[in-house]
Amino acid sequence: MAETTRAAGERVPASGTVHWIGAGLSTGSGFAVLCDTADRVRLWHRTEERAARSLAVLGLTGRAEPRAFTLPALAAELAPGDVVVSMLPAPEHAALLGVCVERRAHFACSSYVSDAVLDLVPAAREAGVVVLTEAGLDPGIDHLFAHDLIARAREAIGAETAAEVSLTSYCGGIPAVPNDFRYRFSWAPLGVLGALRSPARYLEAGAETTTARPWEATRPHVIDGETFEVYPNRDSVPFVDQYGLPDAWKPETFVRGTLRLDGWLRAWERVFEELKGGDDARIAALAAELAATYPTTDEDRDRVVLAVTLDVRAGSGDVWSGRYLLDLRGTEEESAMARCVSRPLALGVRHILDGSLPPGLGRAAETAERSRQWLAELAAEGLEFTLRT
């Protein structure tokens, strides 16, 4: 069918061309996989020279085309059915998606869905454009783990059985070798500080709880004998519905949060004092100071820990418990964070390319069936994690 006669809402066939926007700390082996999968790949960076250098560092010179990124330059090269992968900060996604809708190109990112992106979803669906979001590590793999655990518990306990539920999902990028600061920046320091300044909402003892300063809700969390510190972040409450908990199950505890090394709370005391009283300008300056004081170097090795645990206790006394654990360390070739973000994102892009994702908004995990499929594919590609029930 010719493009001009395509029905409204009918999915635009993938062209086979992928535009990867940005080559920061989270661009890893997933990008390399796409270079083997897609017909054509372009890497867009601040300048063509920086894009070329990034390709050289990744060992991909000649396998992708370097480009200097501006929205007009990207728009000029977009064709219907192309896939745009955004590694830019979340506030920049709406502008990118707007260009994609105009050009009838598909869109993918690893970030949460913003209101600005949501506003564009109806137009994207009408144009036959796939909008894949939350397809990284957190959000992304954490969703896959949660959906699969809930499906397994439903099979064991029964969706109609009254039960009390505890679900915790904690994820963190930390130094593989602990340092005095108890942290390693795997994304922009200003973004890290901004997240700490945002209130957190979650369920505790069956009631909604909000904390204006997430770090003040930090508590110990033991995983296989190792003690970490965890705290809630963002808004966990909408995920009760997104994860599809049965109506008969009452969530007593439902927390999605951040994991840090033991001792982090004490090591960051000065930072917290600044966050309490600093204005935007002071926090931006603090972010720059932290970046200079605690730089991420090529010699550093990071570690990513993601633990999702579900406990379901039925009124009859039956109990089902399950936990997924991902615990990876970075290597000389690739950081753990880059691997964990880029691999699921690349998998989602490949499913856009093969036509298996429908137009409109989608996340890494929409159903338990798709979660199990994606987890199996990620495991087959060497991403290591364990399930304990």
Side-chain angles (χ1 to χ4, degrees), residues 95-117:
L96 268 179
L97 179 55
V99 171
C100 288
V101 173
E102 291 174 5
R103 303 293 180 178
R104 304 194 73 181
H106 305 294
F107 176 85
C109 71
S110 61
S111 301
Y112 287 98
V113 184
S114 67
D115 290 340
V117 166

Side-chain angles (χ1 to χ4, degrees), residues 315-368:
S316 61
D318 291 337
V319 177
W320 187 94
S321 295
R323 186 200 72 185
Y324 268 107
L325 175 63
L326 180 154
D327 188 348
L328 297 181
R329 284 168 168 78
T331 65
E332 184 177 348
E333 292 75 26
E334 180 181 28
S335 72
M337 185 63 69
R339 182 177 182 82
C340 291
V341 173
S342 68
R343 284 287 181 141
L345 182 56
L347 176 60
V349 173
R350 295 196 324 263
H351 283 301
I352 296 175
L353 293 172
D354 69 21
S356 59
L357 296 184
L361 180 66
R363 297 173 173 87
E366 295 288 345
T367 65

Side-chain angles (χ1 to χ4, degrees), residues 168-210:
T168 60
S169 178
Y170 293 115
C171 182
I174 55 180
V177 178
N179 54 21
D180 291 342
F181 196 48
R182 317 302 286 176
Y183 188 68
R184 176 188 187 275
F185 286 106
S186 56
W187 55 305
L190 186 58
V192 176
L193 299 183
L196 284 168
R197 298 174 78 194
S198 301
R201 188 168 70 123
Y202 54 100
L203 299 182
E204 189 170 48
E208 287 190 13
T209 302
T210 300

Side-chain angles (χ1 to χ4, degrees), residues 141-152 167 169 243 254 256 308 310 324 371 375:
I141 298 176
D142 58 341
H143 293 344
L144 302 177
F145 286 171
H147 273 281
D148 187 56
L149 288 174
I150 291 168
R152 292 173 184 272
L167 186 147
S169 178
Y243 287 170
F254 195 98
R256 300 178 73 254
V308 181
L310 176 67
Y324 268 107
S371 296
L375 287 173

Side-chain angles (χ1 to χ4, degrees), residues 139-377:
I141 298 176
D142 58 341
H143 293 344
L144 302 177
F145 286 171
H147 273 281
D148 187 56
L149 288 174
I150 291 168
R152 292 173 184 272
R154 288 171 66 110
E155 294 167 3
I157 296 291
E160 304 303 321
T161 302
E164 293 183 348
V165 175
S166 170
L167 186 147
T168 60
S169 178
Y170 293 115
C171 182
I174 55 180
V177 178
N179 54 21
D180 291 342
F181 196 48
R182 317 302 286 176
Y183 188 68
R184 176 188 187 275
F185 286 106
S186 56
W187 55 305
L190 186 58
V192 176
L193 299 183
L196 284 168
R197 298 174 78 194
S198 301
R201 188 168 70 123
Y202 54 100
L203 299 182
E204 189 170 48
E208 287 190 13
T209 302
T210 300
T211 177
R213 298 168 178 166
W215 69 86
E216 294 182 347
T218 299
R219 64 190 63 183
H221 190 69
V222 180
I223 301 174
D224 292 349
E226 182 176 2
T227 300
F228 297 93
E229 294 179 349
V230 297
Y231 61 89
N233 61 10
R234 292 183 173 266
D235 188 354
S236 299
V237 177
F239 291 91
V240 174
D241 291 333
Q242 184 172 317
Y243 287 170
L245 285 180
D247 292 339
W249 295 5
K250 179 184 178 183
E252 287 291 314
T253 301
F254 195 98
V255 183
R256 300 178 73 254
T258 297
L259 176 145
R260 295 288 181 250
L261 285 173
D262 188 32
W264 169 80
L265 194 65
R266 184 176 60 254
W268 276 52
E269 285 179 348
R270 181 182 72 84
V271 176
F272 299 142
E273 287 304 313
E274 295 266 21
L275 292 178
K276 289 178 183 178
D279 58 15
D280 290 347
R282 174 56 198 143
I283 300 306
L286 175 62
E289 292 169 15
L290 292 175
T293 307
Y294 305 100
T296 297
T297 71
D298 292 339
E299 287 71 38
D300 292 335
R301 296 292 174 263
D302 69 331
R303 178 185 178 192
V304 167
V305 179
L306 167 60
V308 181
T309 303
L310 176 67
D311 297 311
V312 182
R313 183 179 298 275
S316 61
D318 291 337
V319 177
W320 187 94
S321 295
R323 186 200 72 185
Y324 268 107
L325 175 63
L326 180 154
D327 188 348
L328 297 181
R329 284 168 168 78
T331 65
E332 184 177 348
E333 292 75 26
E334 180 181 28
S335 72
M337 185 63 69
R339 182 177 182 82
C340 291
V341 173
S342 68
R343 284 287 181 141
L345 182 56
L347 176 60
V349 173
R350 295 196 324 263
H351 283 301
I352 296 175
L353 293 172
D354 69 21
S356 59
L357 296 184
L361 180 66
R363 297 173 173 87
E366 295 288 345
T367 65
E369 180 180 5
R370 188 159 95 189
S371 296
R372 288 183 177 177
Q373 175 194 351
W374 282 33
L375 287 173
E377 291 177 279

